[in-house]
Amino acid sequence: MLEALILLTGLAIIGISLMGLKRSKDPLFPLTILAPMLLYIYVYMPLTRLSSGAVDSIFPDADKLIVVHVINLLTVTAFCLGCISQRRPRGIDRRFELFRSRMAKRTQNRLFSLAIILGLASCSAFGYMIVYSGGWTRVFSNSKPFLNSPSGYVGELPMLSYPAAFLLAVAFQGKRLTFIRLTLMHAVLAPQIVMATFGGRRGPTFLVACTLVGCWCIIRGRLPKVKWVVTGLATMGVFMLLLGENRSNLFRPWSSDVDVDIVSTVLGPSSVSLGDEYVTASGTILASMHHDRHYWGARYFTIFLVRPIPKQLWPTKYSDLGMGWMETDAGRSGMTTSEWFDAIGFETATGAAPGMVADLFLEFSWGCILACFLLGRVFSIVWKKWVQRGGIWTIFYFEMLILSVFLVTQGLGAWMYRLILVGVMTYVLGGRNLAKGRRNQRGVQQMPSLSPTPQPIHRRHVGSSSSRQ
């Protein structure tokens, strides 16, 4: 029964994705990037865990997992349907035309300067956090490096690497991709590249790869072919599997032996921990149902609107809203240890991410199905805006796609919080300059000429006049 539900989930993802690809004829429509991640989280991981018996000791009664996979099937299907809800407008494709035809040189230079400033801020904050955390050796000697920061604002500054790279791509559009320009793009992405390589982090690896592809599309002003997108995603998927299993020594030249077993990695582990993504997601849904614990938007309100307020201005902000656990016991979904054991017989690892479906179910119960459809529709609407208008929507769409790894693997809160940070900086620094550049360019095109209009010269035909005389 469980295997049948998982396979139905996979068929729904693949079928709806192919339908959307046929309708949109766009290799970068939302499900091209989202579908492989959905297949990994909601098909590959459950199948490998259940077939290998890795979760038998954690969930001895497998029948309890049926409701989990029913929720996964309905919610993921609704999300995919939302992603293809908007049709591509006929005869309109301004995804890169707006930059190429209306971008003034002065605006491109201004965006280049802003990109360098954002890149310097990102790299400076990253270097400061390394020093604050004890230095390079202490940070990257751990199997999963973690950087401390004196403030949450400082900790989020390295995320500015992504809008910096996209603004550079806009400034470079229509120009040759020289070695110096490539070096600049990698320089502003340096904090994320370091975390992807020496840190062995899968999230930054995916984000950097997708960012570079998106920048290439903006600079060249064209889309990649479908076969290259599929090949790249498949290669990235295998690479990220290897990275997850060998993160402790894969990119560390001081490690003596690196044992990479591709077959066993792809087939799945024989045992898993309580922090495993599938275990965490299933446990969160079951515990939430057992205690009827749902927040109905209060948790998201706290994350998006209250969390950015500095503690110095509102020291008791979490407790005042009844969300004190988000400060004192974060990472446990607001349930105590006894409540976890009473519901499922164990407690998931502190800080483990439940994923998109479990996160939305914890918030809205069965309303997560409608929430996922609306969320997919947001992706579809932004994609249509990108096709119809281009401009700043190009950067917004690419940022939504690359950050979607946080949506699928961690939840709506982790994705939306980062998207707000990156999107606001993109609009404030880049969007206004793009709009100003378009207005200036349009004004130049519409300005009347000040030179006098030449009058036509009427010549006398001598032969004709003489004949008349």
Side-chain angles (χ1 to χ4, degrees):
M1 183 64 178
L2 292 178
E3 288 77 5
L5 289 172
I6 296 171
L7 292 177
L8 281 176
T9 304
L11 289 175
I13 296 171
I14 296 173
I16 297 173
S17 299
L18 292 176
M19 185 189 306
L21 183 61
K22 182 179 179 180
R23 289 171 55 182
S24 67
K25 298 179 182 179
D26 185 352
L28 291 182
F29 93 109
L31 284 180
T32 306
I33 306 299
L34 291 165
M37 292 187 286
L38 294 172
L39 288 171
Y40 172 75
I41 295 294
Y42 298 106
V43 179
Y44 168 80
M45 292 193 73
L47 278 179
T48 54
R49 270 60 176 170
L50 292 172
S51 61
S52 64
V55 296
D56 291 348
S57 59
I58 301 176
F59 297 106
D61 186 3
D63 291 338
K64 290 184 178 180
L65 295 175
I66 292 178
V67 66
V68 173
H69 290 285
V70 169
I71 294 171
N72 288 345
L73 172 61
L74 297 177
T75 307
V76 171
T77 301
F79 177 76
C80 293
L81 290 174
C83 286
I84 67 169
S85 60
Q86 295 290 316
R87 289 183 174 272
R88 179 174 178 172
R90 294 183 179 181
I92 300 177
D93 189 355
R94 297 193 178 98
R95 284 174 285 194
F96 305 109
E97 176 185 349
L98 190 57
F99 288 136
R100 188 164 51 247
S101 61
R102 297 181 180 178
M103 179 67 67
K105 185 176 181 180
R106 181 179 298 178
T107 304
Q108 285 185 309
N109 294 335
R110 190 181 297 115
L111 291 177
F112 175 82
S113 301
L114 291 173
I116 296 300
I117 293 173
L118 290 179
L120 288 174
S122 174
C123 294
S124 300
F126 182 72
Y128 175 76
M129 285 193 294
I130 291 178
V131 175
Y132 187 83
S133 302
W136 179 279
T137 304
R138 182 174 180 179
V139 170
F140 292 101
S141 294
N142 300 319
S143 60
K144 192 174 181 179
F146 181 79
L147 294 176
N148 297 315
S149 64
S151 169
Y153 291 99
V154 177
E156 298 295 343
L157 283 179
M159 292 294 295
L160 297 180
S161 292
Y162 301 116
F166 283 120
L167 290 177
L168 275 181
V170 174
F172 293 157
Q173 197 197 32
K175 301 178 182 179
R176 287 185 56 201
L177 199 57
T178 61
F179 175 78
I180 295 178
R181 289 175 180 143
L182 278 174
T183 303
L184 281 174
M185 297 192 69
H186 284 80
V188 298
L189 288 170
Q192 309 302 328
I193 294 176
V194 170
M195 293 302 294
T197 53
F198 290 98
R201 303 294 293 269
R202 289 178 291 179
T205 301
F206 178 84
L207 293 172
V208 169
C210 291
T211 300
L212 291 175
V213 172
C215 290
W216 179 88
C217 294
I218 293 174
I219 294 173
R220 294 298 182 91
R222 65 174 185 263
L223 298 173
K225 295 182 179 180
V226 177
K227 62 179 181 180
W228 294 119
V229 174
V230 175
T231 303
L233 289 172
T235 304
M236 179 61 62
V238 175
F239 178 75
M240 291 180 70
L241 284 175
L242 295 174
L243 189 61
E245 295 295 328
N246 301 274
R247 70 167 76 242
S248 60
N249 53 15
L250 189 59
F251 288 107
R252 290 182 174 81
W254 52 83
S255 299
S256 55
D257 298 320
V258 178
D259 184 17
V260 179
D261 189 352
I262 298 178
V263 177
S264 62
T265 299
V266 173
L267 291 179
S270 57
S271 62
V272 294
S273 66
L274 297 180
D276 180 75
E277 290 91 338
Y278 176 66
V279 174
T280 302
S282 301
T284 300
I285 292 176
L286 293 174
S288 178
M289 292 183 67
H290 180 83
H291 294 291
D292 196 21
R293 184 69 56 82
H294 306 287
Y295 295 100
W296 305 108
R299 185 168 57 105
Y300 290 153
F301 175 82
T302 306
I303 293 174
F304 303 146
L305 299 179
V306 178
R307 179 183 173 187
I309 301 176
K311 272 187 174 183
Q312 292 78 4
L313 299 179
W314 191 0
T316 59
K317 55 184 179 180
Y318 293 110
S319 58
D320 290 346
L321 296 174
M323 294 288 174
W325 60 270
M326 297 183 69
E327 182 180 19
T328 59
D329 200 14
R332 294 187 179 182
S333 303
M335 287 178 275
T336 63
T337 301
S338 60
E339 288 176 327
W340 279 105
F341 275 89
D342 181 51
I344 57 177
F346 65 90
E347 183 181 15
T348 59
T350 302
M356 178 181 69
V357 174
D359 182 68
L360 286 170
F361 185 85
L362 178 65
E363 194 73 22
F364 301 113
S365 183
W366 289 89
C368 64
I369 300 174
L370 176 61
C372 261
F373 175 79
L374 296 176
L375 189 57
R377 189 170 174 81
V378 169
F379 277 92
S380 186
I381 290 173
V382 175
W383 168 78
K384 188 175 181 179
K385 292 285 188 182
W386 173 42
V387 175
Q388 284 183 324
R389 299 184 182 182
I392 194 65
W393 290 102
T394 302
I395 303 180
F396 281 154
Y397 181 67
F398 280 122
E399 288 174 347
M400 283 183 65
L401 280 187
I402 65 170
L403 293 175
S404 63
V405 64
F406 294 107
L407 171 65
V408 178
T409 60
Q410 296 186 20
L412 178 63
W415 172 71
M416 184 64 75
Y417 183 78
R418 291 171 173 85
L419 184 61
I420 291 174
L421 172 67
V422 174
V424 168
M425 294 299 295
T426 300
Y427 175 75
V428 172
L429 298 179
R432 291 186 176 183
N433 284 282
L434 285 174
K436 184 178 180 180
R438 291 196 299 269
R439 287 195 300 268
N440 293 341
Q441 185 71 10
R442 193 179 300 114
V444 171
Q445 292 174 354
Q446 296 176 355
M447 184 180 298
S449 177
L450 298 179
S451 59
T453 303
Q455 300 295 327
I457 301 175
H458 300 283
R459 297 180 181 274
R460 293 183 60 189
H461 296 278
V462 179
S464 300
S465 59
S466 60
S467 63
R468 286 195 298 269
Q469 291 177 355

